[in-house]
Amino acid sequence: MKIRTLIILACSVLLLSSCGYNKIQKNEEAVFSAWGDVEATYQRRADLIPNLVSTVKAYAAHEKETFTEVTNARAKVGQMNISADKLGDAAVMQQFQQAQGKLSGALSRLLVVAERYPDLKASENFRDLQHQLEGTENRINVARQRYNAAVKTFNTSIRTFPNNLTNNFLLNLERKEAFKADAGAATAPKVTF
């Protein structure tokens, strides 16, 4: 009787150790961490933009409309927050991406202002801030890619055997939404001089 109990106990330990519970938890935490990195890089951009706008405003006061768009887009982005429990909601993720896309579009128009006015390009402060903004956009892209990689790992872990059983019977975790390209992103922008 004792041998049978020991065998059952040993089998239970082996089954539980390979059920994937801890791996799924670790993968979900990686998704949350990667999302935190995405939010941090967006925050960096949001903090940098007022400085960029102030510097450029001093040189091109007559381009007020562009600056207003940037300011309004930044304000909307600042109001859009996604909590960790909403990462599986495709509609919320799309709203977040749209707000970020509007800000990126406004920033692109701001950079066109710089191209049109040579004295703006010659401003050392503007160039420094422009490089900071470019670096920030690159960081955002890297953070998005890392988030998508974490989402892929997590989604795979809850869908593959035996982890899918653990998820279905114990955790009931939903798939997470990855960043997707904006509509029309596959079309290359036209550059004209």
Side-chain angles (χ1 to χ4, degrees):
M1 184 86 166
K2 288 184 180 183
I3 294 176
R4 183 176 180 187
T5 304
L6 288 174
I7 291 173
I8 290 173
L9 184 61
C11 288
S12 296
V13 168
L14 285 174
L15 286 174
L16 287 176
S17 68
S18 65
C19 72
Y21 182 88
N22 289 336
K23 182 178 183 176
I24 291 171
Q25 297 296 325
K26 180 179 144 190
N27 291 342
E28 186 176 39
E29 287 303 317
V31 169
F32 295 149
S33 174
W35 181 250
D37 292 344
V38 169
E39 287 182 322
T41 53
Y42 279 134
Q43 184 62 49
R44 181 181 189 277
R45 178 171 73 175
D47 293 343
L48 181 64
I49 289 170
N51 295 327
L52 177 61
V53 170
S54 295
T55 301
V56 177
K57 263 186 181 179
Y59 286 94
H62 57 281
E63 289 293 334
K64 185 177 179 181
E65 182 180 319
T66 301
F67 301 120
T68 303
E69 283 181 41
V70 170
T71 304
N72 291 341
R74 180 186 171 273
K76 286 182 183 176
V77 165
Q79 295 170 354
M80 184 74 187
N81 290 318
I82 298 178
S83 61
D85 62 327
K86 297 286 187 189
L87 293 177
D89 189 337
V92 171
M93 289 294 286
Q94 185 169 357
Q95 287 175 343
F96 183 81
Q97 282 185 253
Q98 285 175 347
Q100 294 296 338
K102 286 180 183 176
L103 180 56
S104 293
L107 290 172
S108 295
R109 286 186 289 285
L110 181 63
L111 294 176
V112 168
V113 170
E115 295 295 325
R116 288 186 184 154
Y117 300 98
D119 56 331
L120 278 179
K121 280 180 73 175
S123 164
E124 185 177 323
N125 288 336
F126 179 79
R127 269 185 281 143
D128 289 346
L129 288 169
Q130 189 175 14
H131 289 295
Q132 287 291 324
L133 187 58
E134 181 181 337
T136 300
E137 293 299 320
N138 288 336
R139 288 178 186 185
I140 289 170
N141 187 46
V142 168
R144 284 177 172 178
Q145 290 172 344
R146 288 180 181 161
Y147 171 78
N148 283 351
V151 165
K152 178 184 174 191
T153 300
F154 172 77
N155 287 345
T156 301
S157 74
I158 65 170
R159 296 181 70 210
T160 55
F161 184 81
N163 296 356
N164 63 341
L165 298 175
T166 301
N167 187 49
N168 290 338
F169 294 116
L170 295 176
L171 300 171
N172 295 315
L173 298 173
E174 298 289 324
R175 292 183 64 202
K176 307 297 183 204
E177 285 293 321
F179 272 99
K180 296 176 179 83
D182 294 332
T187 305
K190 293 181 181 180
V191 179
T192 57
F193 296 100

